[in-house]
């Protein structure tokens, strides 16, 4: 049997939900059909990808590796279909091509851009690599890129691009299981997590180098797992890992979000375009969208109220 995109999509759904029943419901198929499909996939690869138990399905070591490589393929196929449909439906009217690294401000930003530019087709490309997005802007394939720069790991910006700063220093929080002892406190010390497995996505520019530098400065050397943050969420919920996260992350029933004492991990949020681009209105809409996303996160609101400063856009008018 040859693996197809639908097989990879099924593996990602099982990892995300931690349950064959929930994954089947998400995929619109019966649980027996999904169970049979998973068995065929595992037979084709020659090993189990998930360990099954009363608490659900957990990826095996091989499963984590396969899923980590499957996610960008699934995301790429989804993007291909979305972009192809948009291009087929697009008129000869104006177009705004937006690139971004992952951010919870994106939905609000896109909504505002479409309201500001009625009749303009607003396209979106999301990429884990800020460098890749900046190259696309420099090459004229994107009009603007919203990216983050990990503190201590400066971006290599192509010559000629202009920028606006959204947040000069955004703290990175930590995501952990609600049952973790450190989750009982409003602020977590790094040393409390020295014995935990940390999960980091090495494909995100600067992410692994930045975390390694901060852990070394704290005098701790915890075990590190490499994988995407969708897989991390399922491991965190099971208490098997912790991971850095954006402060705009909204806690879930199975995931706690806490600031780190002293804010040792941080990024800078930046907007780039080619010279001549009308960056000011794009920046204004992004600022409003980011502020909106920040307000939805109770841990971030509490951090701000306690005196945390994440740049001019949040120093004013935060709740």
């Amino acid at each position: 049997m040859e693996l197809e995109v639908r097989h990879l999509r099924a593996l990602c759904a099982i990892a995300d939900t931690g349950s064959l029943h929930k994954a089947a419901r998400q995929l619109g198929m019966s649980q027996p059909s999904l169970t049979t499909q998973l068995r065929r996939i595992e037979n084709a690869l020659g090993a189990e990808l998930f360990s099954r138990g009363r608490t659900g399905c957990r990826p095996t070591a091989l499963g984590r590796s396969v899923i980590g490589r499957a996610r960008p393929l699934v995301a790429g196929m989804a993007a291909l279909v979305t972009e192809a449909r948009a291009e087929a439906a697009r008129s000869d009217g104006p177009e705004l091509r937006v690139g971004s690294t992952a951010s919870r401000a994106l939905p609000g930003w896109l909504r505002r851009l479409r309201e500001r530019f009625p009749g303009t087709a607003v396209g979106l490309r999301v990429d884990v690599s800020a460098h890749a997005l900046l190259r696309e802007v420099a090459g004229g394939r994107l009009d603007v890129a919203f990216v983050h720069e990990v503190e201590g790991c400066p971006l290599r910006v192509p010559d000629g691009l202009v920028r606006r700063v959204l947040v000069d220093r955004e703290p990175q929080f930590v995501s952990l299981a609600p049952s973790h002892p450190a989750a009982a406190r409003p602020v977590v010390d790094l040393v409390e997590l020295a014995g935990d497995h940390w999960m980091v996505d090495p494909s995100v520019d600067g992410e692994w180098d930045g975390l390694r530098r901060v852990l070394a400065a704290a005098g701790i050397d915890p075990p590190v797992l490499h994988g995407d943050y969708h897989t991390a969420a399922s491991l965190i919920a099971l208490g098997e890992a912790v991971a850095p996260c954006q402060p705009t992350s909204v806690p879930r029933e199975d995931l706690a979000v806490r600031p780190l004492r002293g804010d040792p991990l941080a990024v800078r949020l930046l907007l780039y375009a080619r010279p001549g681009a009308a960056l000011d209105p794009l920046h204004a809409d992004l600022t409003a969208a980011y502020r909106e996303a920040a307000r939805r996160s109770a841990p971030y609101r509490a951090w701000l109220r306690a005196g945390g400063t994440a740049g001019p856009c949040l120093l004013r008018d935060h709740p």
Side-chain angles (χ1 to χ4, degrees):
M1 182 187 83
E2 291 188 0
L3 290 186
E4 302 173 11
V5 173
R6 63 188 178 93
H7 299 137
L8 303 183
R9 190 178 294 115
L11 295 179
C12 294
I14 297 169
D16 289 343
T17 62
S19 159
L20 283 167
H21 174 71
K22 292 179 181 177
R25 188 169 55 188
Q26 178 179 303
L27 294 165
M29 60 193 301
S30 69
Q31 182 175 334
S33 296
L34 180 58
T35 301
T36 299
Q37 187 175 95
L38 175 59
R39 188 178 301 117
R40 288 174 177 167
I41 295 170
E42 290 178 326
N43 287 340
L45 295 179
E48 285 193 347
L49 301 179
F50 294 90
S51 58
R52 287 77 146 175
R54 287 181 298 177
T55 57
C57 294
R58 302 184 182 187
T60 62
L62 175 62
R64 288 196 295 270
S65 174
V66 170
I67 293 162
R69 299 179 68 177
R71 286 195 191 279
L73 298 176
V74 172
M77 180 58 71
L80 184 152
V81 172
T82 299
E83 291 169 10
R85 286 174 176 168
E87 188 170 342
R90 187 177 298 135
S91 66
D92 293 330
E95 179 186 10
L96 177 63
R97 299 163 299 174
V98 175
S100 179
T101 50
S103 171
R104 285 165 182 81
L106 270 181
W109 189 31
L110 293 178
R111 185 182 74 246
R112 287 172 171 84
L113 291 177
R114 288 174 178 134
E115 291 171 355
R116 182 183 291 275
F117 304 112
T120 295
V122 180
L124 173 66
R125 173 183 167 184
V126 177
D127 199 304
V128 296
S129 172
H131 287 125
L133 293 171
L134 294 178
R135 288 194 297 269
E136 293 292 289
V137 174
R141 293 175 292 277
L142 288 175
D143 298 306
V144 62
F146 172 40
V147 299
H148 71 271
E149 178 182 70
V150 177
E151 191 169 68
C153 304
L155 293 173
R156 300 183 299 276
V157 181
D159 292 338
L161 297 188
V162 294
R163 80 172 190 199
R164 296 287 186 278
V165 177
L166 175 70
V167 177
D168 195 55
R169 192 175 194 272
E170 181 195 65
Q172 298 300 279
F173 288 2
V174 65
S175 181
L176 62 168
S179 58
H180 194 294
R185 288 176 285 283
V187 180
V188 176
D189 284 294
L190 269 178
V191 292
E192 297 179 78
L193 309 175
D196 290 282
H197 285 82
W198 281 77
M199 194 150 192
V200 64
D201 187 344
S203 63
V204 179
D205 294 329
E207 200 93 335
W208 169 221
D209 289 339
L211 177 62
R212 181 168 50 188
R213 175 180 53 79
V214 167
L215 294 176
I220 61 176
D221 185 23
V224 175
L225 304 174
H226 288 172
D228 65 277
Y229 286 121
H230 290 286
T231 302
S234 61
L235 294 178
I236 293 166
L238 295 169
E240 295 190 359
V242 300
C245 67
Q246 298 174 8
T248 48
S249 301
V250 177
R252 305 179 341 200
E253 191 174 298
D254 57 348
L255 288 178
V257 174
R258 298 288 184 270
L260 291 166
R261 191 174 305 282
D263 306 320
L265 279 169
V267 301
R268 186 160 56 155
L269 304 182
L270 305 163
L271 191 63
Y272 279 96
R274 291 189 306 283
L279 264 183
D280 288 340
L282 304 181
H283 181 265
D285 286 342
L286 181 55
T287 297
Y290 183 85
R291 188 181 291 136
E292 182 180 73
R295 288 171 171 168
R296 285 197 295 265
S297 169
Y300 203 7
R301 291 200 310 270
W303 182 86
L304 288 166
R305 285 173 177 151
T309 56
C313 76
L314 291 181
L315 290 177
R316 302 186 304 273
D317 192 31
H318 69 69

